[in-house]
Amino acid sequence: MDSLVDDVLAEILLRLPPKSVLRCHAVTKRWRRIATCRTFVAAYSRHQRLELLVYPDGYHLDRNAKNILAGLDPLNSDYSGCRRFLRLDDGRSLRLADSRDGLLLLAASDNGTFLICNPATRRSAVLPSLTPDPCASAVPSGLYFHEPSGEHRLLCIGRLQLQHDNHPPSSSDAATVSVTGPFHYYILSTGSAAVRRLGPARGLGVAPSACVALAGVLYWSHHPESGTSVDLVAFDTVSEKFRLIPRPPLTRRHYLRVFDMEGTLAVSAVAEGSLHMDVWALETAGDPSSSVAAWARRLRIDLPWQRLRESEFQPIDQAVAVVEGGLLLVVGSGYLLLYDVKEKMKVSRVYYGEIGNVSRCLYRASLVPVPVPPCPGTADASSSLHYYRPDDPYPSYFGRSRDWFVPDLEYAWYLRYKDIDSLRPDIFVKDHS
């Protein structure tokens, strides 16, 4: 009987907003146990709508800028407004780097400071810093959930900071000179103050692409670990080992992005100068660890004509995810497109000149806790963030003309670091065969 009552209570709590569920923690120990168990937290997230994260007023690179993050419902045909929930008040040009399980990973411009934030619960924390010691700089590679420990972790690529003295230690005027060393992989955790080094990395000749997490494995379309090959890269979050997966059989120069196609690893591929997107799926019968992966082309999507404001900017068309109703969300150079996977037809298309900069990260509200790492300097980061009330409608002031738009966030990131070869994203995968 008690279990039946617990099930009914859980069904009621699933329909409450996050703030009300958090208040229920204080009712009784039984209510708190139900509302905090891992099964309920996962079910609660599944009940929330999936949103595409955007900067409704554009993303500004100025250190003093207060960029607003908002959620856009891709299934809503009215794109004139969105739901804002967070403003980045930190003076270090915080940017959205990744999103996983309702948590946002925010990276500061100092290339070493990372924040974890849950907008639904208004909890945030600064992860242990990699700079200035032991690294001179660090680049986030992927945020993921570590099943054995029950904590979220961040995989980073850091460049070791080496130091040597110009004079003998006995000299009173000894001067220390900082020298950068090789690259290594590091893991930062929300439940630990320790910074753990995994092993040497291949460098940053290619910046890590956006990754997708499936069954405890992270996948990238391009990653430094692939070296000179054009293979996809996989990272097992339990064994903490990398492996390469042969890419789909492509014979031309393509831009690739991995995404979750209803539980299946999929890749969207667009050839340079093409107005078609091919969607490939990794068949379950194939062994991803084998030298030959079984890829099957599922879709070919006609893309709209590109409208580029900057002549140097290359079109970047990406399939982001399959949302509710079996609709594939495609984000391109200035537009959003929904494509019915089953019927193989376009459902809607909109140019986002009136939406703002689209981050291409997806968000679903969750109750995942954000523990504060127990070490000095990693206190709650609430002073850097301003939260808006739930369901706050916000019209975009990004642009009122459909003939004008600013390139997306990936291009803004490229503009900031375009003079640094090691951080310039190689947006096209070259065929070396």
Side-chain angles (χ1 to χ4, degrees), residues 22-222:
L22 294 177
R23 287 179 173 176
C24 292
H25 291 183
V27 177
T28 64
K29 292 182 178 179
R30 174 168 159 264
W31 283 40
R32 181 181 180 85
R33 172 180 55 81
I34 295 174
T36 57
C37 74
R38 186 178 298 184
T39 303
F40 174 82
V41 171
Y44 187 86
S45 180
R46 291 193 297 269
H47 275 71
Q48 308 303 309
R49 68 178 182 179
L50 189 66
E51 297 175 294
L52 182 66
L53 295 175
V54 301
Y55 294 90
D57 297 338
Y59 179 78
H60 306 283
L61 297 174
D62 183 10
R63 292 180 63 90
N64 297 321
K66 296 183 178 181
N67 293 302
I68 295 176
L69 267 176
L72 183 71
D73 184 1
L75 299 180
N76 186 356
S77 59
D78 181 13
Y79 289 94
S80 60
C82 49
R83 183 181 70 91
R84 66 177 180 177
F85 50 79
L86 187 64
R87 189 181 69 217
L88 310 180
D89 289 350
D90 191 274
R92 293 169 292 182
S93 295
L94 285 176
R95 67 178 181 91
L96 178 65
D98 204 354
S99 175
R100 193 82 64 217
D101 304 326
L103 300 181
L104 305 184
L105 174 65
L106 306 174
S109 59
D110 59 7
N111 292 333
T113 302
F114 305 104
L115 286 74
I116 294 288
C117 166
N118 187 333
T121 63
R122 300 193 175 190
R123 292 285 296 174
S124 58
V126 180
L127 294 177
S129 180
L130 285 171
T131 59
D133 183 35
C135 296
S137 61
V139 174
S141 186
L143 179 67
Y144 63 93
F145 177 71
H146 186 248
E147 183 72 28
S149 64
E151 62 189 19
H152 281 80
R153 295 180 176 181
L154 174 62
L155 177 66
C156 295
I157 304 175
R159 190 163 197 176
L160 200 61
Q161 178 85 288
L162 303 179
Q163 294 182 346
H164 69 272
D165 295 335
N166 286 341
H167 304 276
S170 59
S171 174
S172 59
D173 59 346
T176 301
V177 178
S178 298
V179 180
T180 56
F183 291 90
H184 286 82
Y185 291 109
Y186 294 87
I187 289 184
L188 310 180
S189 172
T190 55
S192 172
V195 174
R196 189 159 55 88
R197 189 169 75 181
L198 280 186
R202 292 178 180 263
L204 277 178
V206 175
S209 65
C211 66
V212 61
L214 285 170
V217 180
L218 293 180
Y219 298 93
W220 295 266
S221 59
H222 51 274

Side-chain angles (χ1 to χ4, degrees), residues 343-356:
E343 300 296 333
K344 297 185 178 181
M345 59 180 293
K346 295 178 184 177
V347 175
S348 66
R349 184 185 71 192
V350 62
Y351 288 103
Y352 59 75
E354 297 180 351
I355 298 174

Side-chain angles (χ1 to χ4, degrees), residues 6-26:
D6 288 352
D7 293 341
V8 173
L9 178 59
E11 286 296 323
I12 296 174
L13 296 179
L14 286 176
R15 288 157 174 79
L16 297 180
K19 186 176 182 180
S20 299
V21 177
L22 294 177
R23 287 179 173 176
C24 292
H25 291 183

Side-chain angles (χ1 to χ4, degrees), residues 342-385:
K342 183 177 180 181
E343 300 296 333
K344 297 185 178 181
M345 59 180 293
K346 295 178 184 177
V347 175
S348 66
R349 184 185 71 192
V350 62
Y351 288 103
Y352 59 75
E354 297 180 351
I355 298 174
N357 288 143
V358 178
S359 71
R360 310 188 188 201
C361 289
L362 296 172
Y363 169 78
R364 198 189 297 269
S366 77
L367 301 174
V368 174
V370 182
V372 178
C375 65
T378 58
D380 187 270
S382 57
S383 60
S384 303
L385 308 172

